[in-house]
Structure formats: structure tokens, C-alpha cells
Amino acid sequence: MSKRCDIFFPESKGSVSVLAGTNLLEILQREGLPISSVCGGKGKCGKCKIKVIGETSPPSEIEKKFLTPKEIREGIRLACQTKVLGNVVLYPFLKEEKHRAKILAGGIEKKITISPSIKKEFCEIPVPSLGDSLPDWERILRACGLSYGRGSISLLQRLPKILREINFQVTIVRSKDEILTVEAGDSSAHCYGVAFDIGTTTLVGYLVDLRTGENVAVVSRVNPQRSWGQDVITRIDFVSRSPDQLQTLQGVILNVINEMILDLAKQAQILHHQIYEAIFVGNPTMIHIFLGIPPDNIANSPFVPVFRSPITGYAQEIGVRINERGLVHCLPLVSGYIGADIIAGLLVLPSLSSPKSSPFLFMDIGTNGEMVLGLSGRLIACSTAAGPAFEGGHIHHGMSALTGAIEKVAFRDDVHLEVIGGKAPVGICGSGLIDAIAGLLDLGLITPDGRLLPPEEAPSHVPTKILERVERTDSGTRFLLYRNEDKEIFLTQKDIREVQLAKSAMKAGIQVLTKEAGIEMEEIKKVYLAGAFGNYIRKESAQRIGLLPIADLNKVVSLGNAAGIGAKMCVLSYRIREKARQIAEKIEYIELSGREDFGDLFIQAMAFE
Ligand code: FES
């Protein structure tokens, strides 16, 4: 019989038993414990650090590349490279993330007229008699003024009891001609909907009152799928290996969504089965995995999703914990990389065709960069692999916007840092990274071609304390952002190259859009930034590194979590949902990898001007 090992988690006071030889990343994923895993366990990112005491496989060559000898002596290991051989004690570095992440839920709200598709009505139905022997179901239809209506066998099975429970006084819940459920007595005062933005990094859920349009509650979480890779490609790679692995990641997202629904219901002091409709938006990969649909072909040319049109199903069928007969909708997609989140974000814009704001540019910068150019009613979109650099991936000391991340860097006589949570820094997130590069460009320590100058080549005006931070090492020049006795955080030449690649991909994409629309960049009247990154970056820094290709920053509007707000609008109005469908159909998608000019534009955009 194979040997079993006990794994103890002293901080969560739990333990599990696993087969000897199981790797630590797999254990943490299975137990739902947060772990940073940019590369999904391939030994390429060095982010899955964990402290372990006990009998394990010896440090691999990969670990020796990412860990210092001191870290190895202290029991720090890469979870994806370490196998358990006996009983061990594990100390994950990431704590329960729901309380620690800086997640953007709010944003610019648009005034709408509500027209929910769910109607809930209290009816006193005539009691059957010898003179009125209409069947129960037809009695319900008659109360709704319908000669024909759709229902379900499960409802018919329960209907006689419900009708007779309070003497034929019932509340009918319906969506157009479909009777979703019938409840005993008068429950018409409670009719709710939820809207979810499933981001690659974060999840936000909103609870709204479908009768009044009121925002009732909001919750957010870090997407637990991050333990299987930071970007969509790594997650597609994981789920495409077997149907079980797709089911694993679908289960992970459904579990957390259902937890969030219960949290929303708890906050609002309602019952989760009083929620009758749910809207989901997200990028195409996130939506495919959420629905358990294989996203494999999105990762390979010609990048084809399984579906594009809006999807509607029953909560029970999908496994979403609202009323089991409630409806679940996913907004439409446009392509393998332009998803329902972009469509929802566009719904929030004041107008898609007003001459006052047209042409406009809509940008959502995250692990991918999606852009839509609007011009006199035309919508042209593209997506670039911005890479996870702006989310801290592939950056030596990069991390997401969690407690301990340097989120702001200012250069005066010395470097001044702002850290999320106000504690000692443990890494740097996208907004801090862009500030740091912009500041070093201003000082002339980074050249326009992206080279970090060694101390001897630094311009003479650089303040001494800042100059002392430039260090020459065997692996190249680096800039020290923070150091104490156990931690140092620096910016490497490779980090600067990663940011250069990401920003030039974005800029070249925008140039393709303007070329396609036949306009110059200067003609753009508004730039709308959607998502957390667009909200937290300093616009001046983004402009300085060339990520915001616009001279007048007054034209830039941060929308906040436009995807979430747009999703909320769709649960409150079926008319807006229809508009979302029309927008998706109207978008002209440009696949950049199929454009001959993209490569040249990309190379030209590499320089920091
Ligand atoms: S090196 Fe372990 S997850 Fe990337």
C-alpha cells in the first residue's frame, strides 16, 4: 500500500492526509489555500514560495535558481517543485485573501430606467369548485392573463401543495410567458437579482432589488483559480489536459460564486432563493470555464471560442445557488479575447455615437489589453497580449494589488513608497511599477530605448540617495526600491523589458485601430479606462511610459469596474441586455496576429519617447 503523509496547516489549524510523492502546489490547490502561481506549476515564475518543515524531496535545480541559499536553509521552497515524502507542516505566505486584496467594485453609474424580465406578483386565485374545475396549472396561467405558458415538471409536482397551503393565495414568479416558480402566500416584497464580474484576478458580485433598482449589497474576492495560473493561457493549458481538470476549475469558480451569493444574501438579510436572476460577465476564457465549456481553442490560432451569442440557462442546471428555477445569463462574447466584460463596460459609456465624445477609445488593461475604438456609431476592437506584467506577473518582485504591494512610487530627494495596507512592502504591483519606470525615465536613469543605466553612466543631476540605489550585479543593473534585514525589492532590467513589451503591444494595437478607422491619435476626444488597473494607475505615469497614447490627460476618464456596473444594468433591464447583444454584433473585431503591419508598429512602439 502506498505510504500516506499528514500535512499540517498550523495557521488554519487543519490537516490533511495525502499520498507520499504529492506535490505541495497540488495540495494547496485542492485545499483551496491561496498560493501565487503565475506559471501554473511549470517552475517558470518562482512565485509559489511556501515555508515547509518536514520530510520533502530535496531542492531542485529550478528552486536553486529562484531561492537564495538563506531561504533554502530556512525551509522556503517552491510549492510546485516540492514533493512530500513524510509528515510535514506547511506555512503558506498568502493569508485568506478576501480581506486583503484591493478589489475595485465601484465605478461610474449610469442612470437607467429599470425593466427587469422577472415579475413577481401576488394573486388570490379562485378556489376550484364543482362549477369551476379548471386544473391547477391553467388556473395559474389564467391569473397571469396567459392562454399559454411554459413551466416545469418539478413545479407541477409541487403545485397542488403550494396552492392549497394558504388557500390559493400565491405569488407567481415569471419571466415573460415562463412561470419560473409559484410561492405560497405573499412574497412579492422580495425579488432580487445578482450580477457578477468574473475577472481573471478578482471577482465582484452585486445584489440588486429588481422591484426598485436599488443596490442592496456588494461582495468581492480574489479569483481562487489564480492558484492554477495568473493568466488565461496558463489556465487553458491546465483545463485542456483532461475533462476532470476543466471540472476542477469550474468547481472552484462555482464554489466561490455560490459563497459570494450566500454572503450577499446574508448582508441583505434575505434568502438566497429570493434571487431569481443572475448575470455573468467576464473574458471568454473565464465564461467558458464557468460554464464548463472547453476553452482550448481560444489559446491557439485562429483563437476560436465555442460560442459567441448570449447564453441563458437555469440556475440548477449551471449550479448557481440562487432560486433553483432562477435564470442565469452570460452576456455575449465577440471573439476569443473580447468578452462579455468588454460589452458590459461599453454599456456604461454615456453614448456610443454622440459627436461630442466620438471618436473615443475604451481600454481595459489587465493580463490582456482590450481596446475598442468608437467612431460615429462604428465600434472596432482588438486585444493584445499585454502579458501579466501589469498584474505583477513576470516581474521579479511583482505581485497583485494585495496588502504589502508597493502601489505608488514617487521620486524626490529619494524614493518614497506607498504600500497597500501601510505595512512593510513585500513586492510591487502594476501601478507602482509604472510609477517607478516613469520616474526613472524622468531622471534619465532609464534611456528611451529602455536601458537602465549603471551608476557611472547616470546623469549628474540625479540626487545622491537615488543614485545609491542603482546597483550593478552579475545579472545586470538593478534599481533598489526597498531593503531591510530580511527583504529587498528591486526593479531589474528584465522587468523594464517586460513593461516595454506590454506597453508597446497596447500602443501598436491602438495604432491599428486608428488606422482602420482612418483617424489620427490626436482626434480621439475621450479615453475611457475600465477596470482596476485603469482606476489605480497614475495617468501621468502611464502617459510617460507611453501606455496612454494621448497628450491631453483631461480627456481620460476612469470608469471604475465598468464590467460589473454594466452587468448590474443588465440584470435590471432586459432592454439593456438586448442592447448588449446588439453591441456585440456590431463590433468589428481585428485579430492583430493576422495584421501584417502589427509587427512593425509593435517594434516602433518599444521606445519610451
Ligand atoms: S514556479 Fe511554481 S508556480 Fe511558477
Side-chain angles (χ1 to χ4, degrees), residues 66-113:
F66 286 108
L67 301 170
T68 62
K70 182 171 175 259
E71 283 179 316
I72 292 177
R73 274 198 307 279
E74 287 170 354
I76 314 286
R77 302 292 301 270
L78 293 186
C80 72
Q81 299 298 308
T82 310
K83 290 189 169 82
V84 285
L85 301 179
N87 296 344
V88 300
V89 184
L90 285 190
Y91 297 89
F93 287 125
L94 293 179
K95 305 289 180 268
E96 186 48 67
E97 293 192 81
K98 67 185 172 191
H99 303 300
R100 304 172 64 243
K102 186 165 177 174
I103 299 177
L104 178 70
I108 294 182
E109 300 262 353
K110 190 168 170 181
K111 226 176 161 29
I112 59 161
T113 307

Side-chain angles (χ1 to χ4, degrees), residues 25 36-48 78 80:
L25 180 63
S36 183
S37 160
V38 173
C39 71
K42 291 192 181 130
K44 288 186 180 165
C45 68
K47 301 280 182 194
C48 58
L78 293 186
C80 72

Side-chain angles (χ1 to χ4, degrees), residues 347-523:
L347 290 170
V348 176
L349 301 192
S351 161
L352 292 181
S353 54
S354 145
K356 256 170 71 187
S357 55
S358 173
F360 69 82
L361 181 66
F362 175 95
M363 297 170 74
D364 189 339
I365 310 168
T367 47
N368 267 312
E370 289 102 28
M371 293 154 281
V372 182
L373 184 76
L375 172 74
S376 321
R378 257 182 99 188
L379 294 168
I380 316 168
C382 71
S383 151
T384 65
F390 298 135
E391 305 247 351
H394 301 175
I395 299 297
H396 196 80
H397 283 117
M399 64 182 286
S400 298
L402 303 171
T403 300
I406 299 171
E407 59 165 340
K408 195 170 180 181
V409 181
F411 291 79
R412 292 189 281 275
D413 53 328
D414 195 0
V415 170
H416 300 267
L417 307 176
E418 272 184 33
V419 180
I420 299 175
K423 302 214 171 98
V426 290
I428 185 163
C429 65
S431 59
L433 184 65
I434 289 179
D435 276 351
I437 294 179
L440 292 170
L441 279 166
D442 281 342
L443 285 168
L445 279 170
I446 295 179
T447 61
D449 65 359
R451 193 163 78 93
L452 178 62
L453 295 178
E456 62 278 12
E457 289 182 44
S460 55
H461 62 261
V462 175
T464 316
K465 283 186 179 164
I466 292 179
L467 191 58
E468 283 168 3
R469 292 172 176 270
V470 185
E471 299 176 356
R472 226 186 213 297
T473 67
D474 292 345
S475 48
T477 312
R478 65 187 197 183
F479 185 81
L480 182 75
L481 289 162
Y482 175 80
R483 179 178 278 148
N484 72 6
E485 48 297 346
D486 352 276
K487 182 92 199 158
E488 50 181 24
I489 298 169
F490 43 80
L491 187 73
T492 66
Q493 180 63 67
K494 187 177 162 290
D495 296 341
I496 298 166
R497 292 283 178 237
E498 288 285 343
V499 170
Q500 252 181 309
L501 291 172
K503 74 101 188 174
S504 53
M506 293 290 295
K507 189 172 172 188
I510 296 168
Q511 283 171 329
V512 168
L513 292 182
T514 51
K515 234 171 128 177
E516 195 62 29
I519 60 163
E520 296 299 324
M521 205 79 94
E522 299 69 51
E523 290 177 61

Side-chain angles (χ1 to χ4, degrees), residues 467-591:
L467 191 58
E468 283 168 3
R469 292 172 176 270
V470 185
E471 299 176 356
R472 226 186 213 297
T473 67
D474 292 345
S475 48
T477 312
R478 65 187 197 183
F479 185 81
L480 182 75
L481 289 162
Y482 175 80
R483 179 178 278 148
N484 72 6
E485 48 297 346
D486 352 276
K487 182 92 199 158
E488 50 181 24
I489 298 169
F490 43 80
L491 187 73
T492 66
Q493 180 63 67
K494 187 177 162 290
D495 296 341
I496 298 166
R497 292 283 178 237
E498 288 285 343
V499 170
Q500 252 181 309
L501 291 172
K503 74 101 188 174
S504 53
M506 293 290 295
K507 189 172 172 188
I510 296 168
Q511 283 171 329
V512 168
L513 292 182
T514 51
K515 234 171 128 177
E516 195 62 29
I519 60 163
E520 296 299 324
M521 205 79 94
E522 299 69 51
E523 290 177 61
I524 293 174
K525 291 192 184 143
K526 284 272 179 231
V527 175
Y528 297 105
L529 298 180
F533 187 69
N535 199 64
Y536 296 128
I537 47 167
R538 247 75 48 211
K539 296 182 182 81
E540 296 73 14
S541 300
Q543 184 190 47
R544 179 65 187 88
I545 71 158
L547 184 60
L548 269 184
I550 193 155
D552 181 1
L553 288 182
N554 291 320
K555 292 179 179 175
V556 181
V557 181
S558 291
L559 295 170
N561 186 0
I565 308 282
K568 205 163 59 169
M569 286 160 60
C570 287
V571 78
L572 287 170
S573 165
Y574 67 87
R575 292 198 171 92
I576 295 178
R577 220 153 59 226
E578 171 56 19
K579 193 173 168 201
R581 195 188 59 75
Q582 290 166 4
I583 290 174
E585 273 183 9
K586 193 172 176 181
I587 289 182
E588 303 163 39
Y589 175 67
I590 299 178
E591 178 49 58

Side-chain angles (χ1 to χ4, degrees), residues 243-378:
D244 282 358
Q245 301 202 172
L246 173 58
Q247 223 178 16
T248 300
L249 278 209
Q250 185 196 19
V252 165
I253 194 72
L254 274 172
N255 271 345
V256 70
I257 292 281
N258 287 335
E259 256 180 55
M260 290 168 82
I261 290 171
L262 294 182
D263 260 21
L264 287 167
K266 192 169 160 199
Q267 268 186 51
Q269 299 185 330
I270 64 160
L271 301 168
H272 67 273
H273 63 72
Q274 292 168 330
I275 303 168
Y276 301 95
E277 198 156 42
I279 300 281
F280 289 87
V281 302
N283 68 50
T285 302
M286 291 300 101
I287 294 296
H288 275 60
I289 296 177
F290 167 67
L291 294 172
I293 297 172
D296 312 15
N297 295 318
I298 293 177
N300 301 307
S301 179
F303 316 111
V304 177
V306 175
F307 67 95
R308 199 168 65 175
S309 39
I311 298 271
T312 294
Y314 295 102
Q316 194 178 31
E317 162 196 14
I318 297 170
V320 174
R321 227 168 148 199
I322 58 172
N323 187 293
E324 60 179 31
R325 291 288 298 157
L327 296 174
V328 172
H329 310 275
C330 293
L331 291 196
L333 318 175
V334 176
S335 68
Y337 289 92
I338 300 278
D341 49 347
I342 301 303
I343 303 296
L346 289 169
L347 290 170
V348 176
L349 301 192
S351 161
L352 292 181
S353 54
S354 145
K356 256 170 71 187
S357 55
S358 173
F360 69 82
L361 181 66
F362 175 95
M363 297 170 74
D364 189 339
I365 310 168
T367 47
N368 267 312
E370 289 102 28
M371 293 154 281
V372 182
L373 184 76
L375 172 74
S376 321
R378 257 182 99 188

Side-chain angles (χ1 to χ4, degrees), residues 146-176:
L146 296 171
S147 54
Y148 165 82
R150 288 177 298 136
S152 65
I153 292 172
S154 71
L155 175 57
L156 293 181
Q157 288 166 343
R158 291 181 290 116
L159 193 58
K161 184 165 183 280
I162 298 168
L163 283 171
R164 285 158 187 85
E165 217 165 298
I166 309 186
N167 202 27
F168 283 75
Q169 298 186 7
V170 291
T171 303
I172 301 172
V173 186
R174 67 175 171 130
S175 169
K176 298 194 182 125

